[in-house]
Amino acid sequence: YEELPQDLIDAFVAIEDSITGNTRMVLNAYQELLNKTYQLVNEEQIARIAHYLSNAEQVLVCGRGSSGHTAAEMEMRFMRIGVNIDSERDNDLIRMRAIFQNRQNLIFGITISGESDDVVYLLRESHRRGAKTVLITAKTDDRFYEFCTEIVQVPSLQHLNQGHFISPQFPILLVLDIIYSCYAELDKRTKDSLHNNTLKALAERKR
């Protein structure tokens, strides 16, 4: 057993040495993103967001472009464990939805650049109406604290080696997986049951 750790290390080194060129380049870029996520993630903040999800009557998550696709993914995943959640990607609808928010609502805005005017407008107006607001971004800007309850920092692809080969959704999905995992642990039995019931509903359609 004492030799096992070194055997594993040797095996991983052998696998790494066998991977070359573009494959190694892309995998190294993803590993760098994972390492940066380790440095940025704040577990106390994630726990607070999980409790916001538990207490909110309605959750809205919005983004544009690739961030909009991630918003739709978040809706699908969290809906299956009992969250009353909608997603929105259309510019005009994002702005209009801001008008209807209140203290019982939780708003997620996703913008890696931090420069999506419509998402920032949504967060600002929702915060003004009393909703809790969570911004997921790679940009650091103290002005965000004026209208965001939480700012979840994700790694930027801008200075990443070969970052243009990496899906911009990846760092966001990492953070959402962490939030999902934390939220799912709250009343885990109920959430597991809800998730299983959605699987059964899908299976019945295929019969």
Side-chain angles (χ1 to χ4, degrees), residues 55-57 101-106 126 128-132:
N55 296 327
E57 291 184 3
Q101 305 310 316
N102 57 51
R103 293 181 181 277
Q104 284 71 49
N105 296 352
L106 172 62
S126 298
R128 190 165 70 84
R129 288 168 170 74
K132 283 188 167 53

Side-chain angles (χ1 to χ4, degrees), residues 115-160:
E115 297 177 359
S116 174
D117 291 339
D118 300 305
V119 172
V120 171
Y121 176 86
L122 168 72
L123 293 169
R124 188 184 297 278
E125 290 299 309
S126 298
H127 183 268
R128 190 165 70 84
R129 288 168 170 74
K132 283 188 167 53
T133 53
V134 179
L135 171 62
I136 300 176
T137 185
K139 185 174 183 179
T140 302
D141 190 332
D142 289 341
R143 290 175 296 178
F144 291 151
Y145 288 100
E146 297 174 6
F147 53 87
C148 295
T149 310
E150 304 285 348
I151 300 172
V152 180
Q153 204 78 31
V154 298
S156 171
L157 302 181
Q158 185 175 358
H159 303 295
L160 187 69

Side-chain angles (χ1 to χ4, degrees), residues 20-202:
T20 60
N22 289 338
T23 302
R24 176 192 288 270
M25 178 180 61
V26 172
L27 291 176
N28 285 345
Y30 274 104
Q31 185 61 57
E32 187 176 346
L33 273 176
L34 285 169
N35 291 340
K36 288 183 177 180
T37 302
Y38 269 115
Q39 297 168 10
L40 290 172
V41 70
N42 181 329
E43 288 188 305
E44 292 182 358
Q45 179 185 60
I46 298 299
R48 289 196 300 271
I49 294 171
H51 283 285
Y52 298 159
L53 282 162
S54 290
N55 296 327
E57 291 184 3
Q58 174 70 48
V59 178
L60 176 64
V61 52
C62 295
R64 295 287 301 132
S66 62
S67 295
H69 295 304
T70 313
E73 171 70 12
M74 182 177 179
E75 177 188 3
M76 179 64 70
R77 294 195 64 196
F78 281 78
M79 174 271 294
R80 296 180 66 181
I81 53 174
V83 177
N84 184 15
I85 183 171
D86 290 319
S87 64
E88 189 56 70
R89 292 180 278 180
D90 180 82
N91 287 337
D92 292 341
L93 292 177
I94 287 174
R95 285 180 171 264
M96 286 190 285
R97 293 288 292 268
I99 305 305
F100 302 102
Q101 305 310 316
N102 57 51
R103 293 181 181 277
Q104 284 71 49
N105 296 352
L106 172 62
I107 311 301
F108 286 85
I110 304 174
T111 167
I112 291 290
S113 67
E115 297 177 359
S116 174
D117 291 339
D118 300 305
V119 172
V120 171
Y121 176 86
L122 168 72
L123 293 169
R124 188 184 297 278
E125 290 299 309
S126 298
H127 183 268
R128 190 165 70 84
R129 288 168 170 74
K132 283 188 167 53
T133 53
V134 179
L135 171 62
I136 300 176
T137 185
K139 185 174 183 179
T140 302
D141 190 332
D142 289 341
R143 290 175 296 178
F144 291 151
Y145 288 100
E146 297 174 6
F147 53 87
C148 295
T149 310
E150 304 285 348
I151 300 172
V152 180
Q153 204 78 31
V154 298
S156 171
L157 302 181
Q158 185 175 358
H159 303 295
L160 187 69
N161 290 334
Q162 310 301 332
H164 58 289
F165 290 131
I166 304 302
S167 168
Q169 298 179 49
F170 180 71
I172 307 171
L173 290 171
L174 280 176
V175 167
L176 292 181
D177 281 346
I178 295 170
I179 295 173
Y180 181 94
S181 176
C182 185
Y183 175 72
E185 286 298 314
L186 303 175
D187 193 8
K188 187 175 186 302
R189 181 176 296 179
T190 297
K191 292 181 175 65
D192 284 347
S193 176
L194 289 169
H195 185 270
N196 290 337
N197 286 339
T198 64
L199 291 176
K200 290 178 183 177
L202 292 174

